[in-house]
């Protein structure tokens, strides 16, 4: 199979969907890898490294997109939509529930779209979302701590404080992979930390791990409001796989927060979990809401492309090899977890969460696979 790796063109996106090591594995199994020139530079992977791995370096995006399967990090954006076609398998982060225009383009062109973020492991976890969630969770706290400084427009607060002063209060909404990473980082910086989740077993795990040093609260309207109003830094890390994130923090809550407080929404790829959230970029990461500072960078792990690219390929390579070896139909027939990643095919939506968010009829994956 021909496997294409185009250069990412989303604003400030320096990751690449495949490392040179991944290319080596594909080539060793008889596949042809087409890498757009410069695709790996932001991640520290020069064209020469891909060429040494046996990949063919191509001069244009169109050549990389001409492959039977295209690997990407972020969803196709304007300038790439015309390259979609009905005999293409696209394997990438897609987040279609929050991207109706992209979903419509994929449906109109009949592209087979497999989303990293909805692929399931046997235990029900999301193995391809996990590494980027870990990166985003850790970055969200360091990013938020920086924004709390006065030159950045924050309250002028050191998140961990020093002896004799008040440490900042970090509130983490959602105790999944990203939330866990955020809690770990916030505790490490010396912040006072509260984590909210709807799962009592998950909250018990936090209590066991941190020996009571982290406040755990069952997430509901009342506890979210109480925690947010006492927060200096709020991390939004709520996830419903494939579906839009619920809006947990209202504009009214934000209006009553302490001036200079910071809110970092790492659920923004799925629409965000704060009512006032909208996507921002690394170049222009923040905006004001009342007297607080919002940060909603949609590709936060792109700030550390070397780490993120390696972690992503570690998570996706085995599935990429199966798709290349067997083709998408046979690969999905053989692996129910990978089949859960199919979001669209043949002009039909095949994921329940995406279909619900878009207001369209779901076509069960099994009906397509026979």
């Amino acid at each position: 199979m021909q496997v294409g790796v185009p250069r990412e063109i989303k604003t400030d996106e320096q990751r690449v969907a495949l490392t040179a090591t991944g290319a080596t594995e594909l080539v060793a199994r008889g596949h042809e890898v087409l890498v757009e020139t410069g695709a790996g530079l932001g991640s520290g992977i020069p064209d020469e490294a891909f060429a040494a791995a046996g990949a063919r370096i191509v001069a244009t995006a169109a050549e990389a997109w001409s492959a039977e399967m295209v690997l990407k990090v972020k969803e196709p954006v304007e300038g790439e939509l015309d390259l979609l076609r009905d005999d293409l398998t696209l394997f990438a982060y897609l987040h279609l529930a929050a991207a109706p225009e992209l979903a419509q383009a994929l449906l109109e062109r009949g592209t087979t779209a497999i989303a990293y973020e909805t692929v399931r492991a046997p235990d029900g976890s999301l193995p391809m979302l996990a590494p980027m969630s870990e990166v985003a969770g850790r970055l969200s706290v360091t990013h938020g701590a920086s924004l709390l400084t006065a030159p950045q427009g924050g309250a002028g607060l050191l998140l961990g404080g020093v002896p004799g002063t008040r440490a900042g209060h970090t509130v983490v909404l959602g105790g999944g992979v990203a939330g866990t990473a955020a809690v770990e980082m916030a505790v490490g910086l010396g912040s006072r930390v509260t984590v909210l989740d709807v799962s009592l077993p998950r909250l018990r795990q936090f209590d066991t791990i941190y020996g009571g040093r982290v406040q755990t609260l069952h997430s509901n309207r009342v506890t979210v409001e109480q925690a947010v109003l006492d927060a200096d830094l709020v991390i939004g890390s709520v996830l419903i796989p494939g579906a839009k994130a619920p809006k947990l923090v209202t504009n009214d809550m934000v209006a009553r927060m302490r001036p200079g407080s910071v809110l970092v929404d790492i659920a923004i790829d799925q629409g965000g979990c704060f009512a006032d959230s909208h996507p921002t970029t690394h170049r222009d990461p923040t905006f004001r809401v009342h007297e607080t500072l919002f940060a909603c960078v949609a590709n936060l792990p792109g700030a550390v492309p070397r780490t993120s690219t390696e972690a992503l390929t570690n998570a996706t390579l085995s599935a990429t090899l199966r798709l290349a070896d067997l083709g998408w139909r046979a690969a999905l027939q053989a692996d129910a977890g990978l089949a859960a990643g199919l979001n669209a095919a043949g002009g039909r939506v095949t994921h329940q969460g995406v279909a619900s968010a878009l207001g369209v009829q779901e076509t069960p994956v099994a009906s397509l696979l026979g």
Side-chain angles (χ1 to χ4, degrees), residues 10 75 98 247 265 267-272 276-282 284-287 294-299:
K10 189 180 179 79
E75 72 284 352
K247 302 293 187 182
D265 196 340
I268 192 64
D269 276 327
Q270 294 292 116
D276 295 289
S277 291
H278 62 75
T280 60
T281 66
H282 290 286
D284 189 15
T286 63
F287 57 92
F294 271 52
C296 308
V297 177
N299 58 334

Side-chain angles (χ1 to χ4, degrees), residues 36-52:
E36 183 183 356
T37 184
L41 290 180
S43 296
I45 310 173
D47 291 347
E48 292 78 10
F50 280 116

Side-chain angles (χ1 to χ4, degrees), residues 24-51:
T24 299
E25 293 295 325
L26 283 163
V27 171
R29 295 166 89 125
H31 304 296
E32 184 180 14
V33 180
L34 309 179
V35 179
E36 183 183 356
T37 184
L41 290 180
S43 296
I45 310 173
D47 291 347
E48 292 78 10
F50 280 116

Side-chain angles (χ1 to χ4, degrees), residues 83-369:
L83 298 170
L84 300 172
R85 59 185 198 277
D86 61 7
D87 62 345
L88 170 69
T89 299
L90 175 63
F91 197 26
Y93 288 119
L94 296 174
H95 301 288
L96 295 181
E101 297 86 0
L102 172 59
Q104 187 60 35
L106 290 166
L107 297 177
E108 288 176 354
R109 290 163 176 79
T111 302
T112 299
I114 303 173
Y116 297 151
E117 71 271 11
T118 62
V119 172
R120 294 274 189 177
D123 64 359
S125 63
L126 305 170
M128 297 181 194
L129 187 61
M132 295 304 97
S133 295
E134 290 169 337
V135 172
R138 294 185 180 192
L139 281 177
S140 68
V141 175
T142 57
H143 184 45
S146 175
L147 293 174
L148 277 170
T149 63
Q152 297 294 323
L157 179 72
L158 181 63
L159 189 60
V162 295
T165 70
R166 180 180 73 86
H169 182 197
T170 300
V171 170
V172 180
L173 303 177
V177 175
T180 297
V183 168
E184 179 183 17
M185 185 61 71
V187 170
L189 289 176
S191 176
R192 182 163 61 94
V193 180
T194 298
V195 60
L196 295 91
D197 200 277
V198 295
S199 169
L200 290 176
R202 187 73 194 107
L203 295 177
R204 290 190 184 98
Q205 289 177 327
F206 280 109
D207 195 61
T208 299
I209 292 169
Y210 292 102
R213 290 181 294 141
V214 170
Q215 175 71 49
T216 60
L217 294 174
H218 183 263
S219 182
N220 56 60
R221 288 182 179 86
V222 173
T223 56
V224 168
E225 180 175 6
Q226 291 172 341
V228 165
L229 293 183
D230 188 53
D232 299 293
L233 172 62
V234 179
I235 307 296
S237 62
V238 179
L239 174 70
I240 301 175
K244 293 189 74 170
K247 302 293 187 182
L248 300 184
V249 178
T250 67
N251 180 273
D252 175 67
M253 291 180 199
V254 174
R256 291 181 284 141
M257 292 180 71
R258 286 191 286 268
S261 299
V262 172
L263 298 95
V264 180
D265 196 340
I266 53 177
I268 192 64
D269 276 327
Q270 294 292 116
C273 59
F274 309 150
D276 295 289
S277 291
H278 62 75
T280 60
T281 66
H282 290 286
R283 295 183 191 182
D284 189 15
T286 63
F287 57 92
R288 288 276 176 190
V289 178
H290 300 298
E291 295 186 76
T292 72
L293 200 60
F294 271 52
C296 308
V297 177
N299 58 334
L300 193 57
V304 287
R306 295 191 182 209
T307 298
S308 296
T309 289
E310 186 174 352
L312 178 60
T313 297
N314 289 344
T316 61
L317 183 58
S318 62
T320 297
L321 293 172
R322 290 197 299 276
L323 289 166
D325 289 345
L326 302 174
W328 74 269
R329 287 183 182 275
L332 269 56
Q333 286 172 336
D335 186 338
L338 186 55
L342 186 66
N343 280 203
R348 290 173 282 184
V349 175
T350 56
H351 189 280
Q352 184 179 13
V354 173
S356 177
L358 299 177
V360 300
Q361 184 69 38
E362 175 201 2
T363 298
V365 174
S367 68
L368 292 180
L369 299 181

